[in-house]
Amino acid sequence: MKLLLLFSFIACLLVAATNAASNLVCYYDSSSYTREGLGKMLTPDLEIALQFCSHLVYGYAGIRGDNYQAHSLNENLDVYKHQYAEVTALKRKYPHLKVLLSVGGDHDIDVDHPNKYIELLEGDKVKQTGFVQSVYSLVKNYGFDGLDLAYQFPRNKPRKVHGELGTAWKSLKKIFTGDFVVDPQAALHKEQFTAFVRYVKDSLRADGFLLSLTVLPNVNSTWYFDIPSLNGLVDFVNLGTFDFLTPARNPEEADFTAPLYEPESQNRQPHLNAEFQVNYWLQQGFPASKLNLGVASYGNAWKLTAETGPDGTPVVRHTVGAGPEGLQSQKPGLLSYPEVCSKLENPQNQYLKGNDSPLRRVTDPTKRYGNYAYRPVEGAVTEGIWISYDDPESASNKASYVRSKNLGGVALFDLSYDDFRGLCNGDKYPLLRAIKYRL
Ligand SMILES: *[C@@H]1O[C@H](CO)[C@@H](O)[C@H](O)[C@H]1NC(C)=O
């Protein structure tokens, strides 16, 4: 009897061990090195995270608009100040860690060549060879373990849930073919992307370098990813399952930006949630174990108006674009997790009034949609704000979801927006830790 118990105990342990998701892919945006003040993340700050990460994705390289060669977007730091070499050298201290170089990632903004990513796909072999050889050299010369393609495809067009057009518009849309046709050549670009990835993979194969894909937020996988063919070419895929709405794309309405499931009712678009995206990849036959769920370590903030009213329940109407930029993030509407947490009630702000008063925090007992926090325009408050964000608890829920679906793991975007200084409650990297403990 005792023996039987022991056996079943061991069996349980084995099951638990195989169920554990193994990937925690950490994105590292090296431009965080050059931020001012508390947002400045140096190599020793980065290093604290590495015990938790299975992969570090180093961003970002871009492509040159004239000859399509890959190059660092921050050459001064990455190359001349040796940040590439310094980071890949950390593998000696953390031998489990794989470091990949990422291309694109929405950081390669080039007003003179806005279509260069599509041009490279459409281009002849000469253009592509320029890219492939140059990116291979970067990976090889600086000691990376592989390459991540965070390819900058055209985005879904945003759509309003509320508004006079509402359902009438929706039925109109069914009559006309166009769901705002973003890319009339999408089918061709999808085919070309597969061929391109194959070419890249061929160049990396001899050295055993890894190849991963990042599906950037609002890039429609149906349009651009031939999932069955890509399966044989890539080691894993990281889904950008956040920023489904942003103040820049959806200035007049605020909503959960990274829900796990579709919030019920209210005529939302059914594909703007993690569950839909994950299921889409699985239904296309992509192995769950190679799929990583993206979690953002920052919140999206909208500016509220008096018309919004006192109720913060999403979908929130009458917003006017991005809330003020964070002191550290320096990006309108984007607040790093420590910036969000500093606005929630704490000993420093609990008695402050008006525009400095703490935000009302609304957590999600259903664990399906995520948290939000807000301060409506009323009384002495003239600067209303509404923020959708993940905290350690909701990030940990996402890790549970990953386990329940037997996915490969979580991809955190990115380390520099997590609380790497431990300003919120003393723990450094609270989001990263919460995810790691749950996986
Ligand atoms: C791509 O967009 C179409 C049209 O809006 C939508 O029906 C489809 O679900 C989207 N695919 C994914 C994977 O989001």
Side-chain angles (χ1 to χ4, degrees), residues 22-26 46-56 87-100 145 210 236 415 432 436:
S22 49
N23 291 334
L24 212 179
V25 179
C26 299
L46 169 68
E47 201 186 319
I48 296 167
L50 300 182
Q51 57 187 304
F52 303 112
C53 308
S54 61
H55 299 77
L56 188 74
V87 169
T88 57
L90 289 168
K91 289 188 294 173
R92 274 183 239 131
K93 235 164 135 182
Y94 302 89
H96 69 282
L97 186 73
K98 302 280 179 225
V99 186
L100 285 79
D145 297 295
L210 296 170
F236 55 89
L415 292 176
L432 180 66
K436 176 67 185 174

Side-chain angles (χ1 to χ4, degrees), residues 20-41:
S22 49
N23 291 334
L24 212 179
V25 179
C26 299
Y27 281 73
Y28 164 57
D29 175 2
S30 74
S31 71
S32 57
Y33 198 105
T34 55
R35 285 184 197 136
E36 297 296 321
L38 294 174
K40 186 181 183 75
M41 186 166 97

Side-chain angles (χ1 to χ4, degrees), residues 21 46 50 63 71 99 133 137 171 195 223 236 290 292 300 329 349 371 424:
L46 169 68
L50 300 182
I63 54 185
H71 70 120
V99 186
Q133 288 177 349
S137 302
S171 40
W223 300 345
F236 55 89
K290 285 169 50 172
N292 301 320
N300 281 289
S329 76
N349 67 12
N371 317 299
C424 293

